[in-house]
Amino acid sequence: MELKIYKDYEALSEAASDEMIHAIKNNPKAVICMASGDSPRLTAGLFVEKLLQSNIDYSQFTLVALDEWIGVPPENPGSCYYFFRQYIFEPLKLSPDQTVFFNALANDLKAECKKMDNTITARGGIDLMLVGIGMNGHIGFNEPGVSENLYAHVVPLDEVTQSVGQKYFQQSMVLKEGITLGFQHLKESRKVILIANGSRKAGIIKKTLQNEISMQLPATIMRKHSNSIIMIDEAAAAELAD
Ligand code: F6R
């Protein structure tokens, strides 16, 4: 695992978007899995801007949405799907075949997980995973105490996730369960990048880098991956020297 510290959110997002571009340049059929949320918002915007300005063929790559809130419809601006539609799918006019995401309204969520696993396998696995970190150290909805051997699964959300997650919604929401790719996907991904910015992430970043590796702090799994980078800005790095 490598640690990279950038001056600010803009510089961090520039670097993360370059990694995404690089993955597609390297392999036009790249499978990129990405988290939604505040951390990757600018990365997504820059990724799209750069692709549109380039002559890179982006008609064959796949974008996999990392997770979704169960019971939240895709037209809700707080859903993960909405993020991808707004920032990536529509601006790039991706074909439906290029977009892979969970249907969190499906009656059979187990089948939904299986479908996701099969799709990823059929496309040759994930080339690049770009994830964020929750205030409780989660990645995707892999909450504290998760098994690291799971593929896609449904999960009861940690209390921290239930309350922090309200920030994405205009009205208060009941957020009890999520559906997410698992750490088996992360471990098998050819490259994993975790991004974090801002002083509110400084404490959890310090623990992620300095505590013992344990699924009580899921993001410590980054330190077990042989091709992973934790990219943070100076504000998120503020407690590292303490
Ligand atoms: C969202 C996701 C979550 C977020 C994490 C950080 O798709 O997978 O794990 O990455 O909660 O969220 P932000 O970036 O909003 O601080």
Side-chain angles (χ1 to χ4, degrees):
M1 191 214 79
E2 207 183 334
L3 172 66
K4 291 189 178 176
I5 302 175
Y6 298 88
K7 191 167 130 313
D8 52 26
Y9 180 56
E10 284 67 29
L12 163 68
S13 306
E14 279 287 348
S17 62
D18 284 344
E19 288 279 351
M20 294 176 72
I21 300 278
H22 180 73
I24 298 176
K25 267 191 182 164
N26 230 2
N27 172 13
K29 293 189 173 173
V31 175
I32 300 178
C33 170
M34 192 178 179
S36 57
D38 291 335
S39 313
R41 202 180 303 277
L42 184 56
T43 299
L46 291 169
F47 167 66
V48 165
E49 203 178 292
K50 286 173 190 177
L51 271 188
L52 290 175
Q53 283 166 5
S54 75
N55 51 15
I56 300 166
D57 172 15
Y58 58 85
S59 64
Q60 298 178 78
F61 90 99
T62 300
L63 199 298
V64 178
L66 176 62
D67 49 13
E68 188 56 276
W69 309 99
I70 288 183
V72 173
E75 60 274 14
N76 186 317
S79 71
C80 300
Y81 176 81
Y82 197 96
F83 174 99
F84 290 107
R85 194 185 77 185
Q86 179 177 17
Y87 294 113
I88 298 187
F89 299 167
E90 281 188 352
L92 288 179
K93 299 188 173 63
L94 296 186
S95 71
D97 188 53
Q98 289 180 274
T99 67
V100 174
F101 48 87
F102 288 111
N103 172 8
L105 300 180
N107 285 329
D108 188 346
L109 291 167
K110 270 206 173 146
E112 194 60 23
C113 290
K114 198 79 223 135
K115 191 168 120 200
M116 176 61 88
D117 294 344
N118 291 342
T119 303
I120 290 172
T121 304
R123 294 184 190 211
I126 299 170
D127 293 291
L128 174 65
M129 240 174 138
L130 183 81
V131 300
I133 179 170
M135 299 302 287
N136 61 357
H138 75 193
I139 288 179
F141 287 139
N142 291 275
E143 302 284 36
V146 69
S147 154
E148 57 175 89
N149 302 320
L150 296 174
Y151 287 102
H153 59 285
V154 172
V155 55
L157 296 173
D158 187 85
E159 272 177 28
V160 176
T161 305
Q162 294 185 29
S163 69
V164 175
Q166 299 298 329
K167 69 176 176 168
Y168 305 118
F169 297 91
Q170 282 145 5
Q171 281 154 356
S172 152
M173 289 290 288
V174 178
L175 303 171
K176 288 278 181 227
E177 283 186 307
I179 184 167
T180 184
L181 263 61
F183 279 173
Q184 196 58 39
H185 285 122
L186 186 143
K187 288 192 288 187
E188 291 173 14
S189 179
R190 290 175 194 98
K191 186 166 191 175
V192 187
I193 297 174
L194 183 151
I195 59 172
N197 64 284
S199 54
R200 77 196 173 95
K201 294 280 173 76
I204 197 68
I205 284 296
K206 178 185 169 73
K207 288 183 189 161
T208 298
L209 292 168
Q210 297 177 2
N211 283 15
E212 68 172 34
I213 296 174
S214 149
M215 288 309 99
Q216 292 309 319
L217 204 171
T220 57
I221 198 162
M222 290 294 292
R223 287 159 53 201
K224 284 171 82 168
H225 195 289
S226 59
N227 192 18
S228 63
I229 316 177
I230 292 192
M231 293 182 165
I232 55 179
D233 68 357
E234 285 179 1
E239 292 183 25
L240 292 184
D242 297 351

